Amino acid sequence: MMVVDMEDEKKVHNKHTHEEHEEMEMHKHEEHKMHEHMEHEGHEMGKEHEHMEHKDHGEHKHSHAEHHKMMMEDFKKRFIVSAILTIPILLLSPLIQKFLGFTFTFTGDRYVLFALSTVVYFYGGKPFLTGMKDELKKRTPGMMTLIALAITVAFFYSVAVTFGLPGKTFYWELATLIDIMLLGHYIEMRSVLGASRALEELIKLMPTDAHLITPEGIKDVPVSELKKGDIVLVKPGEKIPSDGIIIEGETSVNEAMLTGESKPVYKKPGDIVIGGSINLEGSIKVRIEKTGKDTYLMQVVELVRQAQETRSRTQDLANRAAFWLTLIAITAGSATLGTWLYLGKPFVFALERMVTVMVITCPHALGLAVPLVVSVSTSISARKGILIRNREAFERAKDVQVVVFDKTGTLTEGKFEVTDIIPLDELEDNEILKYAAALEGHSSHPIAQGIVEKAKELGLELYEVEQSKVLPGKGVQGVINGKEVLVVSPGFLKENGLWKEDERVNKVLEQGKTVVFLVIDGKLAGALALADKIRPESREAIKRLHEMGIKAYMLTGDNAKVAKWVAEELGLDGYFAEVLPHQKSEKVKELQEKGFIVAMVGDGINDAPALIQADVGVAIGAGTDVAIESADIILVKNDPRDVITAIHLARATYGKMVQNLAWATGYNTFAIPLAAGALYNYGILLSPAVGALLMSMSTVIVAINAKFLKV
């Protein structure tokens, strides 16, 4: 594994050999070590997982996504029922009648009011009452405690008044408070997209069937029935059913989705193959070594699961405000009661003042302050192609100090393009390209597609090819214009004594580019260098991050030479190369341990644990479903510049939240002393009705302010 800070890198010069064979051996060795490491960790994970507490999410009978949806539907249902019952409660409330100038009374009306309010309190208020229990158990009183405290004090005081205690009831305040809080929670949950389905998406990558080789012939069986030691046949284009070792045949395997290695990896007998990777060329026979939860992919699933469950759920902004308001409500309420009793006022008067203070302290606006901003912010971000899945992480995005980008498919397009054409004989550049593209025309290999794409781009007319055949892991061969033509790897040239030292070739190899050679009638005619195409937007994204004072790093499974070339091209602050997927989250952790707030941007399965480990996980659009499900923020377009837009939006959103919370809680500065009776001697005593009017005004201001959010 290679970790490089670009500052230090400039001072160091490493010598690299160019033999692909050695690179492959190293890759194989790393992969083998990784598998052993994962196998060992698997048991530890299993044990840890058993001890995980699932209190927050029931008993995990449902997936995160289903659980989230059920909670959202529950809030919606409770809101509708409570809102319908609130209409008669308002009509029967003496204060509302007085306020609107009408009377509507009948015998026993106060008992009807009591009955309706009881349903609203117990049915509508249930989430807040159970929420308070959970918060107090964790010793983190927040929004739920504040709401539960206000509605409980209002309800029991009003019941006491209904059955004989002198005073006024607070039924309508209780009902409207519950309605608005239920609505706020529903808006909030709907705007935070469904919780994670990453695990199901990861599991979907595994093929369902395998061609098992038996003494009776080939039999198709479900992958779940495979056992260690079974021999399976994998045809070109098929997924490898489980982790194993090739015992017959050679091919190239696409592991990009699993390991982030952009180049297809040449595999021969004795090499390890990973379940879920795609066989590109020849048919191979594989001896199964690992099945079920021991496979590499399932270990990644386990890492994702662990990271999801241990992610710290920091209290959000409104909860912090609610925590202080809870303390203020209890302190101010108790002080009000004590002061009036000390001054010799009747207990009933002191109690009414205390209840008024405690009900007024829980502002309706606080329940909407954050959800409304989130709702507006979510719609703005959706228009800009940024989907927010985790609000807490989105809030953290404003403080990001380091952005770590995955390379393949994020900073680069994950597609090979021809960067250099090097003539090694009399042929001109375009002729070299015409021969190579003609020969590669029928291959689905990414390198072949890159060569054909370049010829198309230049509008070249390709030659006719006869007798073409694939040389697995080495190249292609065919007859063009009566000449024997080969497009082959450096390894093939060395094996066949055709290799010639050339400074231009050495330079592109030093940059980590993939080089293929054109051989015509046994004579070396030219070389084509290909590299994973850097997105044009990546340069601007890195430049703008630097202008904002944010460092940019790159994380890749690719070799150090490729990583160095990309890092220098983009002016990155540093890079981690040859990082295996399970180590990606460790690299993010290392940066976090240095005190940085880290955002990770990735698009592949191999990025999922790192996306979850990061303070902010960002999945880039065309990535896999797994990366998307593991991320907090999803960029719909494949444009790294959208990371900057997301950070700006997070900062603007946070600013609006702070303003709204100031409005929502600011009125308490006036309302609490007035409700407590601070100006009683001047004949000013805040009645619950006026308190409610102030409450409504702050709610309207908060709603209007949220609408002014812009990026």
Side-chain angles (χ1 to χ4, degrees):
M1 192 200 315
M2 188 92 181
V3 181
V4 180
D5 189 290
M6 290 303 281
E7 290 297 310
D8 301 340
E9 220 284 327
K10 285 166 193 161
K11 300 169 199 164
V12 182
H13 181 67
N14 292 330
K15 287 179 192 159
H16 295 290
T17 62
H18 311 308
E19 263 121 274
E20 285 199 351
H21 173 70
E22 280 182 31
E23 245 178 62
M24 286 168 194
E25 285 303 312
M26 184 180 78
H27 184 80
K28 187 175 102 178
H29 175 64
E30 285 289 358
E31 210 169 50
H32 186 62
K33 280 201 300 193
M34 163 188 87
H35 274 265
E36 284 179 351
H37 176 66
M38 292 299 270
E39 197 169 17
H40 168 72
E41 280 192 344
H43 302 297
E44 296 302 313
M45 281 185 212
K47 277 191 285 186
E48 263 183 58
H49 184 58
E50 280 167 20
H51 300 306
M52 284 283 182
E53 284 188 25
H54 304 312
K55 286 172 193 164
D56 285 352
H57 294 284
E59 282 304 309
H60 265 279
K61 286 173 191 159
H62 302 279
S63 72
H64 288 269
E66 281 172 358
H67 173 75
H68 188 90
K69 201 172 171 196
M70 279 165 53
M71 276 176 67
M72 194 176 86
E73 289 303 320
D74 184 57
F75 273 110
K76 185 180 174 181
K77 200 164 73 185
R78 288 178 195 275
F79 167 70
I80 291 167
V81 172
S82 303
I84 291 166
L85 293 176
T86 301
I87 298 164
I89 291 172
L90 289 169
L91 292 174
L92 291 169
S93 293
L95 268 170
I96 296 292
Q97 291 181 20
K98 189 175 162 190
F99 199 61
L100 298 175
F102 74 94
T103 37
F104 174 56
T105 53
F106 55 86
T107 314
D109 56 0
R110 62 190 183 147
Y111 298 114
V112 173
L113 194 53
F114 157 70
L116 292 169
S117 303
T118 303
V119 176
V120 172
Y121 173 72
F122 285 107
Y123 179 71
K126 190 187 175 202
F128 308 113
L129 299 170
T130 52
M132 173 170 81
K133 202 170 81 183
D134 290 345
E135 284 181 354
L136 294 178
K137 207 186 280 178
K138 290 180 194 159
R139 297 188 186 155
T140 53
M143 184 66 89
M144 295 298 190
T145 308
L146 181 60
I147 300 165
L149 185 72
I151 62 176
T152 303
V153 168
F155 178 70
F156 286 106
Y157 177 76
S158 301
V159 171
V161 170
T162 302
F163 292 98
L165 185 82
K168 299 183 192 77
T169 61
F170 286 89
Y171 288 131
W172 75 270
E173 286 96 335
L174 159 84
T176 54
L177 184 56
I178 288 173
D179 292 346
I180 282 188
M181 292 302 170
L182 285 170
L183 179 64
H185 277 75
Y186 170 71
I187 290 172
E188 180 181 354
M189 294 185 98
R190 207 184 62 176
S191 59
V192 177
L193 297 175
S196 184
R197 295 190 301 276
L199 305 179
E200 290 103 292
E201 293 297 343
L202 265 172
I203 292 159
K204 271 187 212 164
L205 279 169
M206 286 309 268
T208 48
D209 296 315
H211 311 305
L212 180 65
I213 297 172
T214 67
E216 297 81 51
I218 293 172
K219 200 165 81 177
D220 283 358
V221 298
V223 169
S224 55
E225 286 179 19
L226 291 178
K227 298 184 295 294
K228 188 179 172 178
D230 280 347
I231 310 284
V232 295
L233 176 73
V234 189
K235 297 172 188 171
E238 291 183 340
K239 285 182 181 175
I240 289 155
S242 201
D243 295 9
I245 290 173
I246 295 180
I247 56 165
E248 192 183 303
E250 47 188 313
T251 187
S252 290
V253 174
N254 180 355
E255 297 180 344
M257 305 288 269
L258 300 160
T259 65
E261 171 66 61
S262 55
K263 220 189 290 184
V265 185
Y266 169 61
K267 300 279 184 180
K268 59 187 187 306
D271 285 350
I272 289 170
V273 283
I274 303 173
S277 57
I278 301 161
N279 177 18
L280 293 175
E281 292 169 346
S283 288
I284 49 170
K285 286 182 184 173
V286 175
R287 185 177 68 238
I288 300 299
E289 293 294 315
K290 290 180 180 173
T291 59
K293 64 177 180 11
D294 297 327
T295 61
Y296 177 71
L297 190 60
M298 295 313 283
Q299 298 287 8
V300 176
V301 169
E302 191 54 49
L303 279 171
V304 172
R305 197 199 319 270
Q306 268 190 303
Q308 275 177 346
E309 286 170 359
T310 55
R311 159 173 260 161
S312 65
R313 291 175 169 76
T314 56
Q315 277 192 317
D316 65 22
L317 209 53
N319 261 341
R320 294 197 288 276
F323 169 73
W324 289 107
L325 280 179
T326 307
L327 296 183
I328 292 166
I330 295 168
T331 312
S334 310
T336 303
L337 181 74
T339 306
W340 285 119
L341 289 175
Y342 176 74
L343 293 173
K345 284 286 177 188
F347 176 72
V348 171
F349 175 85
L351 184 66
E352 188 188 29
R353 286 299 98 213
M354 181 189 93
V355 172
T356 305
V357 165
M358 290 181 84
V359 171
I360 274 174
T361 308
C362 180
H364 290 51
L366 186 61
L368 285 175
V370 171
L372 279 176
V373 175
V374 169
S375 190
V376 173
S377 171
T378 305
S379 62
I380 288 176
S381 63
R383 282 201 303 276
K384 291 184 177 288
I386 299 163
L387 306 179
I388 299 159
R389 297 185 68 250
N390 179 322
R391 195 184 84 217
E392 288 169 19
F394 179 61
E395 187 189 315
R396 285 195 291 275
K398 72 186 192 322
D399 301 319
V400 163
Q401 295 157 304
V402 174
V403 178
V404 180
F405 290 94
D406 168 52
K407 180 183 81 72
T408 311
T410 305
L411 289 174
T412 65
E413 291 186 2
K415 285 197 305 214
F416 282 92
E417 72 163 349
V418 174
T419 55
D420 309 80
I421 298 173
I422 303 166
L424 297 169
D425 200 14
E426 291 99 59
L427 280 191
E428 288 183 0
D429 289 13
N430 281 2
E431 278 298 295
I432 293 170
L433 190 56
K434 274 167 80 170
Y435 274 106
L439 207 48
E440 297 282 22
H442 302 293
S443 173
S444 60
H445 197 291
I447 289 169
Q449 288 174 340
I451 293 171
V452 173
E453 200 57 46
K454 186 71 173 178
K456 268 190 202 159
E457 200 183 290
L458 298 174
L460 303 180
E461 205 171 306
L462 304 186
Y463 294 122
E464 288 294 315
V465 183
E466 296 160 41
Q467 305 164 26
S468 89
K469 69 169 186 175
V470 174
L471 309 169
K474 295 184 175 71
V476 272
Q477 178 180 8
V479 175
I480 298 175
N481 301 338
K483 298 171 187 169
E484 191 196 36
V485 181
L486 296 156
V487 174
V488 287
S489 67
F492 180 90
L493 294 188
K494 286 168 187 168
E495 278 170 32
N496 292 277
L498 292 168
W499 177 261
K500 281 182 192 164
E501 281 298 326
D502 186 287
E503 219 170 281
R504 296 163 300 167
V505 173
N506 287 344
K507 189 187 169 199
V508 288
L509 281 167
E510 191 60 49
Q511 290 172 336
K513 293 180 181 177
T514 300
V515 181
V516 292
F517 294 87
L518 179 70
V519 178
I520 300 176
D521 284 340
K523 208 171 155 200
L524 202 51
L528 296 118
L530 296 97
D532 190 357
K533 189 176 182 180
I534 294 175
R535 289 183 191 285
E537 309 88 5
S538 297
R539 285 183 175 80
E540 195 189 330
I542 304 303
K543 184 170 165 270
R544 283 170 59 188
L545 282 172
H546 285 154
E547 283 165 6
M548 291 163 77
I550 297 170
K551 287 180 183 292
Y553 276 72
M554 180 175 73
L555 195 54
T556 179
D558 250 350
N559 69 58
K561 289 188 278 184
V562 172
K564 178 176 183 256
W565 176 71
V566 174
E568 283 174 352
E569 283 286 304
L570 291 173
L572 297 173
D573 296 284
Y575 62 88
F576 303 96
E578 292 165 21
V579 182
L580 295 165
H582 68 283
Q583 297 167 324
K584 283 195 171 184
S585 54
E586 291 163 23
K587 296 287 127 206
V588 171
K589 213 183 207 161
E590 274 174 34
L591 288 168
Q592 288 170 324
E593 280 162 4
K594 288 180 185 169
F596 292 121
I597 292 171
V598 180
M600 168 75 195
V601 187
D603 73 327
I605 290 144
N606 54 306
D607 301 319
L611 288 171
I612 286 169
Q613 176 62 45
D615 299 286
V616 185
V618 183
I620 197 155
T624 63
D625 291 344
V626 180
I628 286 169
E629 290 298 339
S630 307
D632 306 305
I633 298 168
I634 298 154
L635 307 180
V636 176
K637 300 196 291 288
N638 270 0
D639 190 340
R641 291 174 303 186
D642 286 346
V643 174
I644 291 118
T645 311
I647 294 170
H648 280 313
L649 183 63
R651 289 177 179 177
T653 302
Y654 185 78
K656 271 285 174 241
M657 284 180 184
V658 171
Q659 288 169 21
N660 264 5
L661 289 171
W663 278 112
T665 54
Y667 94 105
N668 280 325
T669 322
F670 305 100
I672 291 173
L674 292 176
L679 300 179
Y680 180 68
N681 290 342
Y682 300 95
I684 299 170
L685 195 61
L686 187 68
S687 73
V690 178
L693 189 67
L694 279 172
M695 232 186 234
S696 308
M697 274 168 58
S698 70
T699 307
V700 171
I701 290 167
V702 160
I704 292 168
N705 190 40
K707 287 283 175 203
F708 281 112
L709 176 66
K710 280 188 178 61
V711 181

